[in-house]
Amino acid sequence: MTPTLILSFLLSILLLLPRRNILTTAADGKWDLLLSDIGISAMHMQLLNSDRVVIFDRTDFGASNISLPAGKCRNDPSDTALAADCTAHSVEYDVASNSVRPLTVLTDTWCSSGTVMPDGTLVQTGGYNDGDHAVRMYNPCSDDSCDWREINSGLTQRRWYATNHILPDGRAIIIGGRRQFNYEFYPKISTADKSYNLPFLVQTNDARMENNLYPFVFLNRDGNLFIFANNRAILFDYVNGSVVKTYPMIPGGDPRSYPSTGSAVLLPLKNNIGAEVLVCGGAPRGAYVNASNGNFMNALDTCGRIRIDDPSPQWVMETMPTARVMGDMVLLPNGNVLIINGAGSGTAGWEYGRDPILSPVIYRPDNPLGSRFEVQNSSSTPRMYHSTVVLLRDGRVLVGGSNPHTYYNFTGVLFPTDLTLEAFSPSYLDPEFANSRPQIVSPASQSRIGYKQQIPVRFTIPTGRVNGSSIMVTMVAPPFTTHSFSMNQRLLILSGGNVTTVGNSTYQVRVMTPDSGNLAPSGYYILFVVHRDIPSVGIWIRIT
Ligand SMILES: *[C@@H]1O[C@H](CO)[C@@H](O)[C@H](O)[C@H]1NC(C)=O
Ligand SMILES: *[C@@H]1O[C@H](CO)[C@@H](O)[C@H](O)[C@H]1NC(C)=O
Ligand SMILES: *[C@@H]1O[C@H](CO)[C@@H](O)[C@H](O)[C@H]1NC(C)=O
Ligand SMILES: *[C@@H]1O[C@H](CO)[C@@H](O)[C@H](O)[C@H]1NC(C)=O
Ligand SMILES: *[C@@H]1O[C@H](CO)[C@@H](O)[C@H](O)[C@H]1NC(C)=O
Ligand SMILES: *[C@@H]1O[C@H](CO)[C@@H](O)[C@H](O)[C@H]1NC(C)=O
Ligand SMILES: *[C@@H]1O[C@H](CO)[C@@H](O)[C@H](O)[C@H]1NC(C)=O
Ligand SMILES: *[C@@H]1O[C@H](CO)[C@@H](O)[C@H](O)[C@H]1NC(C)=O
């Protein structure tokens, strides 16, 4: 090659480079402010089958920015902030009308956990102080009549920072919490049904800062529970109380659980394929102690992915575009994972997060290793400690909360208490895809389906042109979200036959419903039809 040829060759490479960069750093998605003041900071959230989201923070934050209904007050001498409090610490957000109404929670819900039961009732457990043994129920309603009901000593142990999961038998399991190296069930089956030891929580308890709170728990298709705490995991048979499998430590050995808060999801479940777990972000060992001395260590920038059914499972590590602690992971209707909120340094805990990460990232599990992450458009609102995220039926992602302070502090602090609700709309909601977006015709929303059945799903496509091989039917269990973890979150990709034309722009695909309650515990799910990665608005279905 002559020097000129070499030069033009190099130039052409240089010219190609920026294009590649544009591809890998493509900004996408859209942010909308929904409400500027819901009165409380969204520390815990759960979407119910009424398309309402129950939101609550803690009773001892002091006076919130929303009053209890009709002159009600809560008189609680044990409240650590305000013994007579006429403000609400829980609200119900109605997606359709984009409005909130106050709810009445009496005992302290701080750092608690929850599960939606098979009948659609939210059962929320534990908290702090006078609420640490409480069980609170919330039945969805579509008028404004529903409110919390509380059972003050519904739990055997105090549960503060515990994780819940719904079980195939319709009960909830409640695992761990501060200084609780055990688990229990709700409801109890007998008076002898109390709590059961879980030595794994002793083994993963770091001396100075537990690093194993809010463990990441997933129900595996074999009926066992995958439990990740600190830097490792077990497969646990909760019926026999035995460890079925011990997974290797996550490479690097840094903790991923509270307060080194990373996040985790069970990747989309497909028929006859082993389940995979993805754990992302967190903070290095020592980060909490360092943060308490004003030294905010960089968050972890790695994810570990593991096939939990493999005979000798190994973690495969991947690097995120940005380091993140206190990020949330949300399964999107098309099977991609949204990683959103959180900080670039510090840890969970009062005042311990720094460098908010404003750009979400989408992770595409089926892309080849090395090309799975895509950075999204950024928000302008830091979402630090005590922020939450849930997927809505229309495909938007509801984002709220952030309060790293022991009170509501709106001024004079680094990250003011946030009372807003925002929506992040992934690019699949862009108007340019409207013509590809399926619309479900049948089944009707709120239909009941059984296990192991073939059901027809009918939908229309506006253009009247369907790419049959890109059609996917998915089912998402709406999770209980707090402290960067979404309990009970799971997405199933239903196996389907060919897409047939049944009318003008109307198509049908027959899909198999899940084959067992291990794969999909009975209860309410949102069913989506996905066409070329673009999801329909979902419908509620109840599997029994
Ligand atoms: C998102 O990012 C794209 C590409 O950078 C940009 O064109 C678009 O305006 C952004 N949208 C919003 C709502 O910020
Ligand atoms: C709290 O409510 C008052 C009015 O009721 C409003 O002026 C103020 O902006 C609210 N605070 C926040 C942080 O939204
Ligand atoms: C519990 O152990 C018994 C006997 O070892 C076994 O037959 C049974 O399958 C186990 N239960 C579960 C849920 O694995
Ligand atoms: C604090 O961070 C430094 C490095 O930044 C590290 O050497 C030290 O061990 C950390 N402290 C603790 C208590 O882990
Ligand atoms: C936060 O709010 C509490 C209660 O209103 C107040 O006592 C405290 O001084 C505030 N902290 C800061 C840093 O403003
Ligand atoms: C149809 O969808 C399949 C699967 O996503 C894809 O491989 C194929 O390229 C698509 N065909 C067209 C014409 O877009
Ligand atoms: C689906 O279509 C393919 C190609 O037309 C055909 O080979 C296959 O048998 C069909 N499957 C079913 C279940 O009808
Ligand atoms: C088919 O449906 C489209 C849109 O719904 C409509 O515009 C068109 O007239 C219909 N064609 C027939 C033949 O019914």
Side-chain angles (χ1 to χ4, degrees):
M1 266 198 239
T2 67
T4 355
L5 267 180
I6 291 173
L7 194 66
S8 70
F9 177 63
L10 286 177
L11 262 177
S12 67
I13 289 177
L14 278 176
L15 286 173
L16 281 172
L17 278 178
R19 300 190 80 180
R20 199 174 295 165
N21 280 345
I22 286 165
L23 269 180
T24 53
T25 61
D28 250 323
K30 178 167 146 295
W31 287 89
D32 292 297
L33 178 65
L34 298 177
L35 291 172
S36 60
D37 178 13
I38 62 164
I40 63 168
S41 193
M43 189 193 288
H44 311 78
M45 291 209 282
Q46 171 75 57
L47 172 69
L48 300 172
N49 69 67
S50 50
D51 286 321
R52 312 258 182 134
V53 182
V54 170
I55 306 176
F56 53 96
D57 52 19
R58 66 191 280 236
T59 54
D60 43 12
F61 262 149
S64 76
N65 227 22
I66 183 168
S67 298
L68 281 170
K72 265 198 210 172
C73 292
R74 189 174 56 89
N75 292 299
D76 181 359
S78 68
D79 191 285
T80 59
L82 201 58
D85 186 353
C86 305
T87 67
H89 292 280
S90 177
V91 299
E92 185 191 65
Y93 172 69
D94 178 13
V95 177
S97 65
N98 189 40
S99 61
V100 291
R101 68 181 177 98
L103 300 176
T104 316
V105 76
L106 297 175
T107 57
D108 196 2
T109 48
W110 183 24
C111 299
S112 58
S113 46
T115 314
V116 171
M117 305 307 264
D119 69 353
T121 304
L122 169 60
V123 167
Q124 179 271 343
T125 52
Y128 182 66
N129 197 8
D130 59 357
D132 64 1
H133 283 74
V135 173
R136 306 174 188 85
M137 324 260 191
Y138 189 90
N139 288 88
C141 61
S142 45
D143 50 19
D144 288 345
S145 63
C146 42
D147 208 335
W148 289 103
R149 286 175 294 130
E150 303 191 32
I151 303 170
N152 280 340
S153 47
L155 298 176
T156 302
Q157 306 292 349
R158 72 194 286 257
R159 299 289 170 189
W160 193 33
Y161 299 86
T163 295
N164 297 19
H165 207 293
I166 189 70
L167 298 173
D169 68 4
R171 292 194 296 165
I173 188 169
I174 304 132
I175 302 176
R178 278 221 138 125
R179 295 179 279 282
Q180 295 300 335
F181 310 108
N182 55 57
Y183 58 96
E184 65 182 281
F185 301 94
Y186 192 86
K188 312 285 181 206
I189 49 170
S190 69
T191 48
D193 185 10
K194 295 193 180 313
S195 73
Y196 307 89
N197 287 340
L198 183 53
F200 175 67
L201 293 179
V202 177
Q203 293 148 15
T204 51
N205 186 48
D206 281 359
R208 283 204 61 191
M209 229 324 133
E210 292 105 314
N211 275 330
N212 68 350
L213 299 179
Y214 280 126
F216 307 140
V217 179
F218 301 108
L219 175 66
N220 193 19
R221 59 202 310 141
D222 63 4
N224 294 310
L225 293 172
F226 175 90
I227 307 176
F228 182 103
N230 199 323
N231 59 10
R232 57 216 161 91
I234 54 171
L235 191 63
F236 186 66
D237 173 352
Y238 62 86
V239 179
N240 289 356
S242 57
V243 175
V244 177
K245 194 184 278 191
T246 300
Y247 296 91
M249 188 177 76
I250 195 165
D254 282 312
R256 310 282 179 154
S257 314
Y258 184 94
S260 275
T261 309
S263 191
V265 286
L266 185 63
L267 288 175
L269 293 162
K270 298 173 192 165
N271 263 348
N272 311 319
I273 298 177
E276 285 184 87
V277 167
L278 179 70
V279 176
C280 290
R285 197 168 300 286
Y288 186 89
V289 174
N290 261 331
S292 68
N293 294 322
N295 174 19
F296 304 97
M297 296 172 79
N298 288 336
L300 303 175
D301 66 356
T302 54
C303 296
R305 177 165 166 174
I306 194 163
R307 310 187 68 88
I308 66 178
D309 295 312
D310 276 4
S312 59
Q314 296 299 323
W315 292 98
V316 176
M317 301 306 286
E318 302 179 56
T319 304
M320 296 188 285
T322 42
R324 197 183 298 251
V325 59
M326 295 181 281
D328 275 276
M329 292 171 78
V330 183
L331 291 168
L332 298 176
N334 61 8
N336 291 335
V337 182
L338 181 70
I339 309 173
I340 186 168
N341 292 356
S345 63
T347 69
W350 301 130
E351 317 293 344
Y352 286 173
R354 290 294 183 277
D355 307 314
I357 303 295
L358 300 172
S359 309
V361 166
I362 281 181
Y363 176 86
R364 298 176 192 276
D366 292 337
N367 274 15
L369 190 70
S371 59
R372 293 182 179 149
F373 294 100
E374 191 185 79
V375 178
Q376 305 294 295
N377 280 350
S378 58
S379 153
S380 51
T381 312
R383 300 279 178 191
M384 311 292 279
Y385 190 39
H386 292 151
S387 56
T388 47
V389 181
V390 295
L391 173 72
L392 299 176
R393 197 164 57 80
D394 60 19
R396 289 178 303 158
V397 173
L398 187 67
V399 184
S402 189
N403 188 11
H405 317 293
T406 46
Y407 298 101
Y408 297 106
N409 289 97
F410 303 115
T411 52
V413 287
L414 204 46
F415 300 107
T417 304
D418 186 284
L419 306 183
T420 66
L421 272 189
E422 281 181 287
F424 177 70
S425 299
S427 62
Y428 56 57
L429 292 172
D430 287 357
E432 64 183 290
F433 300 121
N435 280 338
S436 299
R437 191 181 324 285
Q439 188 180 341
I440 298 176
V441 175
S442 65
S445 198
Q446 302 285 346
S447 291
R448 280 189 191 228
I449 62 168
Y451 289 101
K452 230 176 179 167
Q453 286 179 345
Q454 225 187 26
I455 57 162
V457 176
R458 289 193 175 188
F459 56 94
T460 57
I461 304 276
T463 55
R465 284 193 312 274
V466 69
N467 176 347
S469 52
S470 78
I471 289 288
M472 194 164 70
V473 177
T474 61
M475 252 172 77
V476 179
F480 180 92
T481 304
T482 191
H483 289 79
S484 305
F485 184 58
S486 286
M487 305 172 192
N488 303 303
Q489 180 172 227
R490 65 207 288 117
L491 181 146
L492 293 98
I493 299 178
L494 304 185
S495 52
N498 293 333
V499 173
T500 55
T501 305
V502 293
N504 179 20
S505 302
T506 309
Y507 308 91
Q508 176 173 295
V509 59
R510 290 184 163 278
V511 291
M512 278 301 285
T513 62
D515 56 21
S516 77
N518 290 343
L519 207 50
S522 76
Y524 287 88
Y525 290 75
I526 309 174
L527 182 132
F528 295 94
V529 173
V530 181
H531 176 223
R532 305 171 70 158
D533 251 8
I534 312 297
S536 64
V537 170
I539 56 164
W540 287 102
I541 50 158
R542 184 177 178 186
I543 188 163
T544 47

